[in-house]
Amino acid sequence: MEDFLAPLMFVVVFVIIFSGYPVAFALGGASLVFAFIGVELGIFDWNLLYAMPERIFGVMSNQVLLAVPFFIFMGLVLEKAKLAEDLLTTIGTLFGRHRGGLALGVVIVGAMLAAATGVVGASVVAMGSISLPVMLRYNYSKRLSSGVILASGTLGQIIPPSIVLVVLADQLGISVGDLFIGGLVPGLMLATMYALYVGAVASVKPDAAPALPTEMTDIPWRELLQRVVVVMLPPLLLILIVLGSIFAGIATPTEAGAIGSVGAILLAGARGRMSMNVLRDSCVGATKLTTMVMFLLIGSTAFALVFRGLYGDIWIEDLLTGLPGGKIGLLLVANLTIFILGFFLDFFEIAFIIIPLLAPAASILGIDLVWFGVMIGMNLQTSFLTPPFGFALFYLRGVAPPEVKTTDLYRAVIPFIIIQLIGLLLIIQWPGLVTGLVD
């Protein structure tokens, strides 16, 4: 029984989670129950739990995680102030005169929103509520329209300043800046692959991605150029300041997140969009998501403490390092596990439960943890799209017009899931795509 207690704890936690119980409380509750069982069997000491307050204090004082609420707040301000809407309409006008232009515009805006917000839900909802009705009105295919919005919206998982990468860096014990640099090329590579797919569809099936009517795009070039400068340059400048300060080593991710938050407020104010309602809604949204993250961290800290007290870390380490194939075996198991769990769990939950178990084995086998973190981030991005429980599907379902059925969304993401899996295989085959800029 002593040998099976740690594996049993692992299984019980996931059974409770899949039953619909809140993850943070499932982790904390199961930890207390198994601590009691361990004490009764004489293999766990209650004194180990005295370390819990110190560990929680360590979580709360973690400067890296302070970047999470800043980046969330920055993204919410840009969304609530409708600056994202301005980007979509301007780029739609700029590219809409060409076949597939609207869909290409969605990819570009998706990449920009990813770099400006790092919040998948905000990107998918903004593009779905603004672009999808327009694309359908002008006879775009429902599948192409929905698929390109869903895929582009999830770029926030991998393009820095991704909140996913901040959390993964903390759990892997590596530099957030290095993980941001590592995620830049794969993120832009995915956006390019989406754009190439849109171009291919527009060439092979012109009816699926027609050009906008002339009256929609017949705007004097002087006026269009002025609109591009006013709408696109300020967010691009904000992105360059935030990411540039991190990449150049001038600011930490937390400091850059604070700069981005102030910059988003100034941008909204300059456009006359900053109001108490926008500020309040952004603060409330950031507080809710940050609170969820903190509770997950506390629950996962309790889980890790009891799990290690029951020698679960040794069991996991022996299991993962003893897999057939060594590194390849670990990578295969890690990717399959994360991909499957991504059907059911949020990326925060996966990061706080699974990554601390995988990281020691990856380190022992000599795997580059920056490359490992980017690979996991791209895998998590794929899981956001995968039916039946991909979170991006539910975000778009909430704002999609009635004529777009759930089955349409499921079919729409299949080509983009294939593209993302190809991207994942590319960075596994050529790690230099991730580590080249870091080195």
Side-chain angles (χ1 to χ4, degrees), residues 72 75-80 84 88 113 117-130 153 395:
I72 293 172
L76 289 174
V77 168
L78 294 176
E79 180 203 356
K80 303 292 182 186
L88 280 165
L113 290 180
T117 71
V119 183
V120 170
S123 298
V124 173
V125 169
M127 293 193 295
S129 56
I130 299 161
Y395 292 143

Side-chain angles (χ1 to χ4, degrees), residues 75 118 132 167 213 216 281 319 373 394 400:
L132 186 54
V167 174
M216 290 291 298
D281 291 346
L319 178 67
F394 293 113

Side-chain angles (χ1 to χ4, degrees), residues 360-392:
S363 184
I364 289 171
L365 291 173
I367 294 173
D368 185 294
L369 292 183
V370 172
W371 172 79
F372 190 66
V374 172
M375 180 195 70
I376 290 171
M378 189 175 285
N379 195 328
L380 287 171
Q381 179 186 354
T382 304
S383 68
F384 250 72
L385 294 176
T386 311
F389 301 112
F391 285 90

Side-chain angles (χ1 to χ4, degrees), residues 332-411:
L332 184 62
V333 169
N335 277 297
L336 283 175
T337 301
I338 292 169
F339 184 76
I340 292 169
L341 289 178
F343 288 17
F344 311 99
L345 301 181
D346 188 75
F347 69 85
F348 284 122
E349 296 154 2
I350 295 173
F352 294 139
I353 300 172
I354 301 299
I355 304 308
L357 304 178
L358 295 175
S363 184
I364 289 171
L365 291 173
I367 294 173
D368 185 294
L369 292 183
V370 172
W371 172 79
F372 190 66
V374 172
M375 180 195 70
I376 290 171
M378 189 175 285
N379 195 328
L380 287 171
Q381 179 186 354
T382 304
S383 68
F384 250 72
L385 294 176
T386 311
F389 301 112
F391 285 90
L393 300 170
F394 293 113
Y395 292 143
L396 187 57
R397 176 66 276 166
V399 296
E403 64 265 27
V404 179
K405 308 299 182 186
T406 302
T407 51
D408 293 327
L409 300 183
Y410 286 176
R411 295 190 187 100

Side-chain angles (χ1 to χ4, degrees), residues 61-372:
S61 59
N62 189 327
Q63 292 293 315
V64 172
L65 290 177
L66 191 57
V68 172
F70 282 136
F71 285 129
I72 293 172
F73 177 79
M74 180 176 76
L76 289 174
V77 168
L78 294 176
E79 180 203 356
K80 303 292 182 186
K82 298 188 182 302
L83 298 182
E85 181 176 334
D86 291 346
L87 276 174
L88 280 165
T89 53
T90 301
I91 292 182
T93 304
L94 189 62
F95 291 99
R97 65 191 71 231
H98 306 290
R99 283 204 310 256
L102 271 181
L104 181 60
V106 167
V107 174
I108 295 171
V109 172
M112 290 182 66
L113 290 180
T117 71
V119 183
V120 170
S123 298
V124 173
V125 169
M127 293 193 295
S129 56
I130 299 161
S131 295
L132 186 54
V134 175
M135 295 171 84
L136 295 178
R137 188 183 313 140
Y138 293 104
N139 300 317
Y140 263 68
S141 158
K142 286 192 287 188
R143 292 188 188 179
L144 179 63
S145 305
S146 304
V148 76
I149 288 171
L150 287 164
S152 302
T154 60
L155 287 171
Q157 292 280 89
I158 193 68
I159 292 180
S162 162
I163 296 168
V164 178
L165 296 183
V166 174
V167 174
L168 287 175
D170 175 70
Q171 295 299 300
L172 289 168
I174 58 178
S175 163
V176 177
D178 285 349
L179 206 53
F180 277 4
I181 295 171
L184 187 60
V185 171
L188 295 177
M189 177 185 72
L190 273 182
T192 303
M193 292 167 72
Y194 296 160
L196 291 174
Y197 173 73
V198 167
V201 171
S203 299
V204 176
K205 297 181 179 178
D207 292 342
L212 290 180
T214 307
E215 61 270 17
M216 290 291 298
T217 57
D218 190 17
I219 298 175
W221 277 104
R222 187 185 298 273
E223 181 183 337
L224 184 58
L225 180 62
Q226 181 181 2
R227 190 185 299 181
V228 168
V229 170
V230 170
V231 171
M232 291 184 62
L233 284 189
L236 281 174
L237 183 61
L238 178 62
I239 293 166
L240 289 175
I241 291 172
V242 171
L243 294 182
S245 62
I246 296 172
F247 294 164
I250 299 171
T252 66
T254 301
E255 293 165 346
I259 293 170
S261 296
V262 173
I265 292 173
L266 293 176
L267 283 184
R271 298 296 303 278
R273 308 276 182 81
M274 197 65 209
S275 65
M276 285 305 297
N277 285 337
V278 169
L279 185 61
R280 183 182 63 249
D281 291 346
S282 300
C283 287
V284 169
T287 302
K288 285 181 177 178
L289 193 50
T290 304
T291 302
M292 182 197 76
V293 173
M294 290 300 108
F295 270 102
L296 276 170
L297 269 171
I298 293 170
S300 64
T301 299
F303 174 81
L305 187 62
V306 176
F307 192 69
R308 286 175 180 170
L310 298 174
Y311 308 105
D313 56 336
I314 297 174
W315 168 67
I316 287 286
E317 186 178 303
D318 290 343
L319 178 67
L320 294 178
T321 56
L323 289 170
K327 289 182 183 180
I328 296 174
L330 173 63
L331 293 176
L332 184 62
V333 169
N335 277 297
L336 283 175
T337 301
I338 292 169
F339 184 76
I340 292 169
L341 289 178
F343 288 17
F344 311 99
L345 301 181
D346 188 75
F347 69 85
F348 284 122
E349 296 154 2
I350 295 173
F352 294 139
I353 300 172
I354 301 299
I355 304 308
L357 304 178
L358 295 175
S363 184
I364 289 171
L365 291 173
I367 294 173
D368 185 294
L369 292 183
V370 172
W371 172 79
F372 190 66

